[in-house]
Amino acid sequence: MRTPGRTARWGTTTAASALVASYLVLAGPSTTTSDPVIRSAGTTYLCSDYAGCNRAGYSDAGYGAANGTMYWQMYAGHNCTNYAAYRMIQAGMPNKRPWVGGGNASEWGKYMSSITDQTPNVGAIAWWGKYANGAGSAGHLAYVERVVSPDEIIVSEDSWGGTFHWRSITRASGRWPTGFIHFVDRPTTPTPTPTPEQPADPVFTLTGAPVVNGPLVVDTTVSATAGTWSPVPAENRWRWFADGVRIADNISSSLPLTADLLGKQISLRVVARQDGYPTEVSPFYDVGPVVAGIVHPTTPATMTGTPELGQVLTVTPGGYDQPDATVGYQWLRDGAPIAGATGATYQLAVEDVGTSVAVRVTGEKPQFLAHAETVPATPPVTSPAVVTLKTKSKNGRAIAKVRVTAVGKLPVKGKVLVRIGSWKSEVRLRDGLVKVKVPMARGPKAVRVRYLGSTVVPRSAKVTGTVDVS
């Protein structure tokens, strides 16, 4: 039953940023790529896209020309699972998925747990589980190209919605794989058990890949370890190759990089020898292309702009000791490449709210090792608060209902300062909403509210209204 004179009537006041309104009209979808860099501490991109990597001497193993085919029933094109399946088929496996079940990258190490461990080997598949160390909900896969040390690997990879690249990853970077799946990089047939009548010959087993130290730059010398053998052989010898051709008369662990090797792909095999044992030769290990030099920075890159939804960030590149070096950009969201964001400017989108945005700037030159630097990330990107106030009166009480929203941030958390007449209180939002009921004398009362702000949604302007208490 309604009481005359006590009918609830809502008054509505809304404060919203014109920036937000215009952003909703103008913003469009975004698309990922990666970019080239030389190895440094953490995780570092060495090259980007099929053509760019091949120009820099980092092979795509032919996938760029073959990625229109589905391998192991994975989606074709830029896709980490299709690329990993392609590499395994190249290594001799059939084009048939070796398990029955889902194909997301996050599932590979689970279905193949019997051959998945923590040991990185050349030829293994590096596997990231769901949301593991920078991976998304579908996980990630990469092909292990080199094992620099037990705590650093170099991988090649493709990505859904992104592009192909090589990168270096250290264990300390927070991007280390969940595990390594050994489809083809270890023996799959057991050695026959010897019988008393037929004793087995002693053999060497390579359990850890050799490591080559130093960049492949003309007029320098690189050296290699022998890897880890069981048992330890009495003697190791090294066989070096340039574009697959043996570099004669060099069986030492060191290789002088002479001018005639410029642009050639260096690879390596290690020999284990000891009396009473058959000589064992390791598989080929690709070391990389020989380059003319390294691009060095002379001044750092800088970034300007306000980290707020809809605002534009701008990067100004630094200088390099190679004047003709070209500059590339890749914007990053919480350390991961942002699809299509490869220009000198970037407009902050809804997906950036609450994240830190940085940019990786790369200086590169043909036949030179590129240099990349990441301009420090911004504070978390903010989104302006939209505060809506509704008021009414009922049974001698002033009632105020406050809703706080922000594009890209739901629900908004924090407190709202509410004033009704001389009464005031700070009230915590629940699911972005506050509702207060205050007994008051009859008559009109001024109502003022202000959202007090959070890390992602800044303090709002004051929103005012009135309520006629009856």
Side-chain angles (χ1 to χ4, degrees), residues 155-455:
V155 301
S156 60
E157 59 194 346
D158 214 326
S159 59
W160 182 259
T163 192
F164 176 83
H165 52 253
W166 281 49
R167 64 171 165 146
S168 162
I169 310 169
T170 66
R171 192 182 296 272
S173 67
R175 294 292 189 265
W176 193 251
T178 304
F180 298 89
I181 309 173
H182 303 282
F183 288 108
V184 297
D185 58 301
R186 56 175 54 187
T188 55
T189 55
T191 302
T193 303
T195 64
E197 294 78 19
Q198 186 182 9
D201 289 332
V203 295
F204 291 114
T205 302
L206 183 63
T207 59
V211 176
V212 175
N213 301 303
L216 300 178
V217 178
V218 167
D219 294 332
T220 66
T221 297
V222 293
S223 60
T225 67
T228 306
W229 296 84
S230 179
V232 177
E235 180 187 7
N236 282 116
R237 293 184 178 182
W238 289 259
R239 298 177 183 174
W240 297 91
F241 300 81
D243 286 346
V245 178
R246 176 83 182 272
I247 300 174
D249 302 325
N250 188 348
I251 59 173
S252 74
S253 61
S254 298
L255 175 66
L257 300 174
T258 52
D260 60 303
L261 296 178
L262 179 62
K264 294 185 177 180
Q265 189 79 14
I266 302 300
S267 55
L268 169 71
R269 302 185 81 177
V270 181
V271 180
R273 301 182 62 178
Q274 185 168 317
D275 290 344
Y277 285 74
T279 298
E280 184 70 24
V281 182
S282 77
F284 278 93
Y285 290 95
D286 285 331
V287 180
V290 178
V291 296
I294 301 174
V295 176
H296 293 288
T298 55
T299 56
T302 57
M303 187 204 307
T304 57
T306 303
E308 181 180 306
L309 173 65
Q311 295 295 312
V312 174
L313 302 180
T314 301
V315 61
T316 302
Y320 301 99
D321 63 348
Q322 301 295 322
D324 53 347
T326 59
V327 182
Y329 307 97
Q330 175 62 63
W331 292 87
L332 309 170
R333 180 188 299 125
D334 281 345
I338 301 172
T342 56
T345 62
Y346 175 66
Q347 184 176 27
L348 293 165
V350 172
E351 296 83 3
D352 301 314
V353 173
T355 72
S356 292
V357 173
V359 59
R360 185 185 301 116
V361 183
T362 305
E364 57 184 337
K365 179 179 178 179
Q367 294 192 328
F368 276 66
L369 284 181
H371 175 271
E373 61 179 315
T374 299
V375 179
T378 64
V381 175
T382 62
S383 180
V386 180
V387 180
T388 302
L389 168 65
K390 293 184 178 181
T391 61
K392 70 176 181 179
S393 170
K394 186 175 182 181
N395 298 328
R397 294 182 177 184
I399 303 173
K401 183 178 180 181
V402 183
R403 183 179 298 277
V404 183
T405 59
V407 176
K409 183 63 179 177
L410 292 174
V412 176
K413 299 179 180 180
K415 292 183 178 181
V416 174
L417 176 62
V418 182
R419 298 173 185 263
I420 304 176
S422 60
W423 179 92
K424 70 176 181 179
S425 180
E426 291 185 6
V427 189
R428 187 169 297 279
L429 289 164
R430 285 191 176 183
D431 293 327
L433 186 66
V434 159
K435 186 176 182 181
V436 296
K437 300 179 181 179
V438 184
M440 289 200 158
R442 296 188 177 209
K445 303 291 186 296
V447 181
R448 293 156 292 174
V449 300
R450 185 193 297 272
Y451 173 62
L452 297 180
S454 66
T455 302

